[in-house]
Amino acid sequence: MQKQTLQNTDVHGKRVIVRVDFNVPMSNGKISDDNRIRAALPTIQHLRDNGARVILCSHFGRPNGIVEETSRLGPIAEGLGKVLGTPVIYAQECIGPIANSAVAALSPGEVLLLENVRFHPGEEQNEPAFAKALASLADLYVNDAFGTAHRAHASTAGITNYLPAVSGFLMQRELEMLSSVLDNPRRPLAAVMGGAKVSDKIAVLENLLGKIDKLIIGGGMVATFIKAMGAPVGDSLLEVERVSFAQEVITRCTHWTVELVLPQDVVVARDFSPDAPSQVVNAMEIPDGWRIMDIGPESAASFIEELETCKSVLWNGPMGVFEFPAFSHGTRLIGQTLAAMTDAVTIVGGGSTAEAVADLGLVDKMTHVSTGGGASLEFFEGKELPGIAALMDK
Ligand code: AMP
Protein backbone atom coordinates (compact mmCIF):
# COMPACT_ATOMS: atom_id res chain seq x y z
CA MET A 1 0.00 0.00 0.00
CA GLN A 2 1.40 3.38 -0.98
CA LYS A 3 1.72 5.93 1.78
CA GLN A 4 0.94 9.64 1.86
CA THR A 5 3.99 11.80 1.45
CA LEU A 6 5.04 15.28 2.35
CA GLN A 7 4.88 16.22 -1.33
CA ASN A 8 1.11 16.80 -1.41
CA THR A 9 0.64 17.93 2.18
CA ASP A 10 -0.11 21.49 3.20
CA VAL A 11 2.36 22.51 5.88
CA HIS A 12 2.10 26.29 5.77
CA GLY A 13 2.16 27.79 9.28
CA LYS A 14 1.80 24.32 10.81
CA ARG A 15 3.83 22.85 13.63
CA VAL A 16 5.37 19.78 12.01
CA ILE A 17 7.14 17.13 14.08
CA VAL A 18 9.64 15.14 12.02
CA ARG A 19 11.14 11.85 13.24
CA VAL A 20 14.66 11.85 11.85
CA ASP A 21 17.51 9.40 12.37
CA PHE A 22 20.33 11.52 13.74
CA ASN A 23 22.06 8.56 15.39
CA VAL A 24 25.32 9.70 13.80
CA PRO A 25 28.84 8.44 14.58
CA MET A 26 30.59 10.78 17.04
CA SER A 27 34.17 10.96 18.24
CA ASN A 28 35.31 13.21 21.10
CA GLY A 29 31.92 14.92 21.20
CA LYS A 30 32.07 15.85 17.50
CA ILE A 31 30.13 14.40 14.58
CA SER A 32 32.52 12.21 12.58
CA ASP A 33 30.14 11.40 9.72
CA ASP A 34 27.18 13.70 8.99
CA ASN A 35 25.64 11.65 6.16
CA ARG A 36 22.50 10.88 8.17
CA ILE A 37 22.02 14.59 8.85
CA ARG A 38 22.49 15.46 5.18
CA ALA A 39 20.02 12.75 4.21
CA ALA A 40 17.27 14.56 6.13
CA LEU A 41 17.96 17.96 4.52
CA PRO A 42 15.45 17.73 1.62
CA THR A 43 12.58 17.25 4.09
CA ILE A 44 13.78 19.95 6.49
CA GLN A 45 14.44 22.41 3.67
CA HIS A 46 11.02 21.76 2.06
CA LEU A 47 9.29 22.43 5.39
CA ARG A 48 11.23 25.64 5.96
CA ASP A 49 10.62 26.86 2.41
CA ASN A 50 6.90 26.25 2.86
CA GLY A 51 6.56 28.18 6.11
CA ALA A 52 6.30 25.28 8.56
CA ARG A 53 7.55 25.39 12.14
CA VAL A 54 9.98 22.48 12.10
CA ILE A 55 10.27 20.30 15.21
CA LEU A 56 12.82 17.49 14.86
CA CYS A 57 13.07 14.47 17.12
CA SER A 58 15.52 11.58 17.08
CA HIS A 59 17.13 8.91 19.20
CA PHE A 60 20.87 8.78 19.77
CA GLY A 61 22.72 5.79 21.23
CA ARG A 62 21.13 3.46 23.75
CA PRO A 63 20.46 5.45 26.93
CA ASN A 64 17.73 2.93 27.88
CA GLY A 65 15.12 5.34 29.22
CA ILE A 66 17.37 7.49 31.40
CA VAL A 67 19.15 10.79 30.83
CA GLU A 68 22.72 10.09 29.80
CA GLU A 69 24.80 13.26 29.46
CA THR A 70 26.92 11.81 26.63
CA SER A 71 23.78 11.10 24.57
CA ARG A 72 22.41 14.64 24.57
CA LEU A 73 21.61 16.10 21.15
CA GLY A 74 23.25 19.52 21.68
CA PRO A 75 26.27 18.76 19.43
CA ILE A 76 23.93 17.42 16.76
CA ALA A 77 21.83 20.63 16.82
CA GLU A 78 25.07 22.55 16.28
CA GLY A 79 26.17 20.24 13.45
CA LEU A 80 22.77 20.48 11.77
CA GLY A 81 22.90 24.29 12.06
CA LYS A 82 26.22 24.31 10.19
CA VAL A 83 24.90 22.09 7.40
CA LEU A 84 21.64 24.09 7.12
CA GLY A 85 23.43 27.45 7.29
CA THR A 86 21.02 28.68 9.98
CA PRO A 87 20.99 28.23 13.76
CA VAL A 88 18.98 25.30 15.08
CA ILE A 89 17.22 25.77 18.41
CA TYR A 90 17.87 22.95 20.88
CA ALA A 91 15.44 22.02 23.68
CA GLN A 92 16.92 19.97 26.52
CA GLU A 93 13.69 17.97 26.78
CA CYS A 94 11.47 16.30 24.20
CA ILE A 95 8.16 16.59 26.10
CA GLY A 96 6.89 18.74 28.98
CA PRO A 97 7.24 22.46 29.78
CA ILE A 98 10.71 23.01 28.25
CA ALA A 99 9.65 21.42 24.94
CA ASN A 100 6.25 23.20 25.01
CA SER A 101 7.74 26.65 25.42
CA ALA A 102 10.44 26.02 22.78
CA VAL A 103 7.69 25.06 20.31
CA ALA A 104 5.51 28.03 21.30
CA ALA A 105 8.40 30.39 20.52
CA LEU A 106 9.06 28.90 17.05
CA SER A 107 8.41 31.10 14.02
CA PRO A 108 7.58 29.72 10.55
CA GLY A 109 10.78 28.50 8.87
CA GLU A 110 12.61 27.99 12.17
CA VAL A 111 14.03 24.63 13.19
CA LEU A 112 13.98 23.12 16.67
CA LEU A 113 15.70 19.89 17.71
CA LEU A 114 14.16 18.15 20.72
CA GLU A 115 16.22 16.14 23.20
CA ASN A 116 16.93 12.40 22.69
CA VAL A 117 13.58 10.58 22.75
CA ARG A 118 15.24 7.50 24.27
CA PHE A 119 15.79 9.37 27.57
CA HIS A 120 12.19 8.32 28.25
CA PRO A 121 11.34 4.64 28.81
CA GLY A 122 8.02 5.31 27.05
CA GLU A 123 9.80 5.69 23.71
CA GLU A 124 10.99 2.11 23.21
CA GLN A 125 7.95 0.74 25.08
CA ASN A 126 5.69 2.64 22.68
CA GLU A 127 3.78 3.98 25.66
CA PRO A 128 0.59 5.87 24.69
CA ALA A 129 1.10 8.65 27.28
CA PHE A 130 4.58 9.43 25.91
CA ALA A 131 3.43 9.24 22.29
CA LYS A 132 0.52 11.56 23.08
CA ALA A 133 2.79 14.07 24.83
CA LEU A 134 5.10 14.17 21.80
CA ALA A 135 2.13 14.49 19.44
CA SER A 136 0.72 17.42 21.47
CA LEU A 137 3.66 19.55 20.27
CA ALA A 138 2.55 19.47 16.61
CA ASP A 139 -0.23 19.53 14.01
CA LEU A 140 1.37 17.05 11.60
CA TYR A 141 3.80 14.13 11.88
CA VAL A 142 6.43 13.29 9.26
CA ASN A 143 8.52 10.12 9.45
CA ASP A 144 11.87 10.48 7.69
CA ALA A 145 13.74 7.91 9.80
CA PHE A 146 13.88 4.82 7.60
CA GLY A 147 16.68 3.44 9.80
CA THR A 148 14.26 3.03 12.73
CA ALA A 149 11.13 2.15 10.73
CA HIS A 150 11.44 -1.52 11.78
CA ARG A 151 10.85 -0.51 15.41
CA ALA A 152 7.37 0.10 16.84
CA HIS A 153 8.39 2.90 19.17
CA ALA A 154 6.40 5.92 20.38
CA SER A 155 8.13 8.34 17.98
CA THR A 156 7.92 5.97 14.99
CA ALA A 157 4.51 4.33 15.48
CA GLY A 158 2.53 5.35 18.61
CA ILE A 159 2.54 9.05 17.71
CA THR A 160 0.55 8.35 14.54
CA ASN A 161 -2.50 7.54 16.70
CA TYR A 162 -2.75 11.23 17.55
CA LEU A 163 -1.61 13.10 14.42
CA PRO A 164 -2.00 12.87 10.66
CA ALA A 165 1.14 11.03 9.53
CA VAL A 166 3.03 11.15 6.22
CA SER A 167 6.44 10.06 4.96
CA GLY A 168 9.32 12.48 4.46
CA PHE A 169 11.40 12.59 1.28
CA LEU A 170 14.15 10.27 2.53
CA MET A 171 11.61 7.68 3.64
CA GLN A 172 9.77 8.06 0.33
CA ARG A 173 12.96 7.50 -1.66
CA GLU A 174 13.91 4.45 0.40
CA LEU A 175 10.47 2.92 -0.15
CA GLU A 176 10.43 3.71 -3.88
CA MET A 177 13.94 2.38 -4.47
CA LEU A 178 13.72 -0.76 -2.36
CA SER A 179 10.25 -1.66 -3.65
CA SER A 180 11.11 -1.00 -7.28
CA VAL A 181 13.74 -3.72 -7.25
CA LEU A 182 11.47 -6.22 -5.49
CA ASP A 183 8.16 -5.51 -7.21
CA ASN A 184 8.98 -4.44 -10.72
CA PRO A 185 12.68 -4.93 -11.49
CA ARG A 186 14.40 -4.54 -14.82
CA ARG A 187 15.68 -8.05 -15.58
CA PRO A 188 17.89 -9.95 -15.17
CA LEU A 189 17.84 -9.23 -11.43
CA ALA A 190 20.71 -10.53 -9.29
CA ALA A 191 20.99 -10.66 -5.53
CA VAL A 192 24.54 -10.56 -4.21
CA MET A 193 24.47 -11.92 -0.68
CA GLY A 194 27.36 -11.97 1.74
CA GLY A 195 28.19 -11.11 5.32
CA ALA A 196 29.00 -13.29 8.21
CA LYS A 197 26.15 -15.71 8.67
CA VAL A 198 23.47 -17.61 6.77
CA SER A 199 21.18 -17.40 9.81
CA ASP A 200 20.98 -13.58 9.48
CA LYS A 201 19.90 -13.90 5.85
CA ILE A 202 17.48 -16.86 5.89
CA ALA A 203 14.32 -14.77 5.76
CA VAL A 204 15.80 -12.54 3.03
CA LEU A 205 16.77 -15.56 0.93
CA GLU A 206 13.30 -17.05 1.46
CA ASN A 207 11.68 -13.86 0.19
CA LEU A 208 14.08 -13.17 -2.68
CA LEU A 209 14.37 -16.63 -4.22
CA GLY A 210 11.03 -16.34 -5.98
CA LYS A 211 11.88 -12.93 -7.41
CA ILE A 212 15.49 -13.07 -8.63
CA ASP A 213 17.19 -14.50 -11.71
CA LYS A 214 20.67 -14.97 -10.18
CA LEU A 215 21.91 -15.54 -6.67
CA ILE A 216 25.57 -14.75 -6.05
CA ILE A 217 26.93 -15.79 -2.68
CA GLY A 218 30.13 -14.64 -0.96
CA GLY A 219 31.23 -13.79 2.59
CA GLY A 220 31.42 -16.02 5.61
CA MET A 221 28.14 -17.75 4.74
CA VAL A 222 29.88 -19.50 1.83
CA ALA A 223 31.25 -22.10 4.27
CA THR A 224 27.78 -23.39 5.09
CA PHE A 225 27.03 -23.80 1.36
CA ILE A 226 30.35 -25.60 0.78
CA LYS A 227 29.50 -27.97 3.63
CA ALA A 228 26.07 -28.51 2.06
CA MET A 229 27.88 -29.70 -1.07
CA GLY A 230 29.86 -32.18 1.00
CA ALA A 231 33.26 -30.46 0.91
CA PRO A 232 35.50 -29.56 3.89
CA VAL A 233 35.52 -26.01 5.31
CA GLY A 234 38.57 -26.12 7.62
CA ASP A 235 38.18 -23.62 10.48
CA SER A 236 35.71 -21.41 8.57
CA LEU A 237 32.65 -19.94 10.21
CA LEU A 238 30.27 -22.88 9.81
CA GLU A 239 26.66 -22.92 10.96
CA VAL A 240 26.05 -26.63 11.25
CA GLU A 241 22.34 -26.19 11.94
CA ARG A 242 21.95 -24.18 8.70
CA VAL A 243 23.53 -26.73 6.36
CA SER A 244 20.13 -28.21 5.51
CA PHE A 245 18.77 -24.75 4.69
CA ALA A 246 21.75 -24.16 2.37
CA GLN A 247 20.96 -27.49 0.68
CA GLU A 248 17.37 -26.37 0.26
CA VAL A 249 18.51 -23.10 -1.34
CA ILE A 250 20.65 -25.07 -3.81
CA THR A 251 17.70 -27.34 -4.68
CA ARG A 252 15.23 -24.48 -4.99
CA CYS A 253 17.56 -22.55 -7.29
CA THR A 254 17.61 -25.57 -9.61
CA HIS A 255 13.82 -26.02 -9.56
CA TRP A 256 13.06 -22.32 -9.94
CA THR A 257 15.76 -21.75 -12.56
CA VAL A 258 17.59 -19.24 -10.43
CA GLU A 259 21.24 -19.25 -11.44
CA LEU A 260 23.25 -19.92 -8.29
CA VAL A 261 26.80 -18.58 -8.39
CA LEU A 262 29.13 -19.73 -5.62
CA PRO A 263 32.87 -18.98 -5.31
CA GLN A 264 35.21 -21.39 -7.12
CA ASP A 265 38.20 -20.16 -5.10
CA VAL A 266 38.52 -18.45 -1.74
CA VAL A 267 41.16 -16.60 0.24
CA VAL A 268 41.81 -18.52 3.43
CA ALA A 269 43.83 -17.46 6.47
CA ARG A 270 45.41 -19.24 9.41
CA ASP A 271 43.50 -17.11 11.91
CA PHE A 272 41.04 -14.23 12.11
CA SER A 273 43.48 -11.31 12.15
CA PRO A 274 44.45 -8.50 9.76
CA ASP A 275 47.93 -9.85 9.00
CA ALA A 276 47.30 -13.57 9.24
CA PRO A 277 49.19 -15.74 6.70
CA SER A 278 46.83 -16.37 3.77
CA GLN A 279 46.57 -18.24 0.49
CA VAL A 280 44.10 -18.72 -2.35
CA VAL A 281 42.62 -22.24 -2.55
CA ASN A 282 39.92 -24.08 -4.46
CA ALA A 283 36.64 -23.55 -2.56
CA MET A 284 36.08 -27.34 -2.50
CA GLU A 285 39.53 -28.02 -1.02
CA ILE A 286 39.90 -25.85 2.07
CA PRO A 287 42.75 -27.30 4.14
CA ASP A 288 42.42 -28.12 7.84
CA GLY A 289 43.40 -25.21 10.09
CA TRP A 290 42.51 -22.52 7.52
CA ARG A 291 39.39 -20.33 7.34
CA ILE A 292 37.60 -18.40 4.59
CA MET A 293 38.27 -14.64 4.76
CA ASP A 294 37.39 -13.45 1.22
CA ILE A 295 36.39 -14.67 -2.24
CA GLY A 296 39.32 -15.53 -4.51
CA PRO A 297 40.35 -13.83 -7.79
CA GLU A 298 38.67 -16.42 -10.05
CA SER A 299 35.42 -16.10 -8.10
CA ALA A 300 35.58 -12.30 -8.29
CA ALA A 301 36.10 -12.52 -12.06
CA SER A 302 33.11 -14.84 -12.51
CA PHE A 303 30.89 -12.78 -10.17
CA ILE A 304 31.78 -9.69 -12.22
CA GLU A 305 31.00 -11.45 -15.49
CA GLU A 306 27.60 -12.56 -14.14
CA LEU A 307 26.80 -9.12 -12.76
CA GLU A 308 27.66 -7.28 -15.95
CA THR A 309 24.78 -9.00 -17.77
CA CYS A 310 22.24 -7.82 -15.17
CA LYS A 311 19.89 -4.84 -15.32
CA SER A 312 19.20 -4.78 -11.56
CA VAL A 313 21.38 -5.79 -8.65
CA LEU A 314 20.57 -5.95 -4.98
CA TRP A 315 23.66 -6.20 -2.77
CA ASN A 316 23.46 -7.22 0.84
CA GLY A 317 26.55 -8.32 2.73
CA PRO A 318 30.29 -7.91 2.08
CA MET A 319 32.23 -10.58 0.19
CA GLY A 320 34.83 -10.96 2.92
CA VAL A 321 36.21 -9.45 6.11
CA PHE A 322 36.48 -6.05 4.41
CA GLU A 323 37.49 -4.34 7.66
CA PHE A 324 40.95 -5.98 7.20
CA PRO A 325 42.59 -4.50 4.05
CA ALA A 326 44.18 -7.85 3.12
CA PHE A 327 40.71 -9.41 2.88
CA SER A 328 38.80 -6.50 1.34
CA HIS A 329 39.57 -7.18 -2.36
CA GLY A 330 36.42 -9.16 -3.17
CA THR A 331 34.16 -6.53 -1.61
CA ARG A 332 36.07 -3.75 -3.40
CA LEU A 333 35.84 -5.45 -6.79
CA ILE A 334 32.08 -6.04 -6.44
CA GLY A 335 31.59 -2.43 -5.30
CA GLN A 336 33.61 -1.10 -8.24
CA THR A 337 31.75 -3.32 -10.69
CA LEU A 338 28.32 -2.13 -9.51
CA ALA A 339 29.55 1.47 -9.53
CA ALA A 340 30.53 1.12 -13.17
CA MET A 341 27.18 -0.43 -14.22
CA THR A 342 25.63 2.90 -15.08
CA ASP A 343 22.89 1.27 -17.16
CA ALA A 344 21.66 -0.91 -14.31
CA VAL A 345 19.72 -0.26 -11.12
CA THR A 346 22.11 -0.91 -8.23
CA ILE A 347 20.66 -1.07 -4.74
CA VAL A 348 22.83 -1.51 -1.68
CA GLY A 349 21.23 -2.73 1.55
CA GLY A 350 22.27 -0.71 4.60
CA GLY A 351 24.48 -1.69 7.53
CA SER A 352 27.91 -3.16 6.84
CA THR A 353 27.47 -3.17 3.04
CA ALA A 354 26.66 0.55 3.06
CA GLU A 355 29.68 1.08 5.29
CA ALA A 356 31.90 -0.81 2.83
CA VAL A 357 30.55 1.23 -0.12
CA ALA A 358 31.13 4.45 1.82
CA ASP A 359 34.73 3.38 2.67
CA LEU A 360 35.29 2.85 -1.05
CA GLY A 361 33.90 6.30 -1.84
CA LEU A 362 31.28 4.79 -4.16
CA VAL A 363 28.01 5.91 -2.54
CA ASP A 364 27.24 8.43 -5.29
CA LYS A 365 27.86 5.85 -8.00
CA MET A 366 25.09 3.50 -6.84
CA THR A 367 21.43 4.01 -7.71
CA HIS A 368 20.62 3.83 -4.02
CA VAL A 369 22.44 3.03 -0.79
CA SER A 370 19.95 2.43 1.98
CA THR A 371 20.32 4.40 5.21
CA GLY A 372 18.75 1.54 7.19
CA GLY A 373 20.65 -1.59 8.22
CA GLY A 374 18.10 -3.64 10.17
CA ALA A 375 15.23 -1.83 8.45
CA SER A 376 16.44 -2.66 4.92
CA LEU A 377 17.02 -6.29 5.92
CA GLU A 378 13.45 -6.58 7.23
CA PHE A 379 12.17 -4.86 4.10
CA PHE A 380 13.96 -7.45 1.92
CA GLU A 381 12.48 -10.15 4.14
CA GLY A 382 9.11 -8.91 2.91
CA LYS A 383 8.01 -7.79 6.37
CA GLU A 384 5.78 -4.83 6.96
CA LEU A 385 7.78 -2.25 8.94
CA PRO A 386 5.74 -0.75 11.82
CA GLY A 387 7.00 2.80 11.18
CA ILE A 388 5.77 2.60 7.58
CA ALA A 389 2.54 0.71 8.26
CA ALA A 390 1.56 3.48 10.69
CA LEU A 391 1.61 6.21 8.01
CA MET A 392 -1.61 7.25 6.25
CA ASP A 393 -2.47 5.31 3.09
CA LYS A 394 -2.52 7.22 -0.18
P1 AMP B 1 26.39 -8.64 7.77
O1 AMP B 1 26.18 -7.49 8.71
O2 AMP B 1 25.60 -9.85 8.11
O3 AMP B 1 26.25 -8.24 6.34
O4 AMP B 1 27.90 -9.11 8.01
C1 AMP B 1 28.95 -8.23 7.84
C2 AMP B 1 30.17 -8.80 8.46
O5 AMP B 1 30.47 -10.04 7.85
C3 AMP B 1 31.37 -7.93 8.26
O6 AMP B 1 31.77 -7.40 9.50
C4 AMP B 1 32.44 -8.88 7.70
O7 AMP B 1 33.69 -8.75 8.32
C5 AMP B 1 31.84 -10.24 8.01
N1 AMP B 1 32.35 -11.27 7.10
C6 AMP B 1 32.35 -11.27 5.76
N2 AMP B 1 32.98 -12.36 5.29
C7 AMP B 1 33.40 -13.06 6.35
C8 AMP B 1 34.13 -14.26 6.52
N3 AMP B 1 34.55 -14.96 5.48
N4 AMP B 1 34.39 -14.70 7.80
C9 AMP B 1 33.96 -13.98 8.84
N5 AMP B 1 33.27 -12.83 8.76
C10 AMP B 1 33.00 -12.38 7.53
Side-chain angles (χ1 to χ4, degrees), residues 194-196 200-201 219-220 237 272 291-294 316-323 352-353:
D200 293 342
K201 307 279 158 79
L237 191 73
F272 189 83
R291 51 178 301 153
I292 302 176
M293 296 293 272
D294 197 2
N316 195 303
M319 295 292 96
V321 186
F322 73 97
E323 296 92 338
S352 59
T353 326

Side-chain angles (χ1 to χ4, degrees), residues 17 38 41 71 137 155 203 216 230-231 270 277 293 339 346 355 363:
I17 186 162
R38 290 183 185 278
L41 289 183
S71 298
L137 299 171
S155 70
I216 298 176
R270 270 280 182 208
M293 296 293 272
T346 48
E355 216 176 281
V363 173

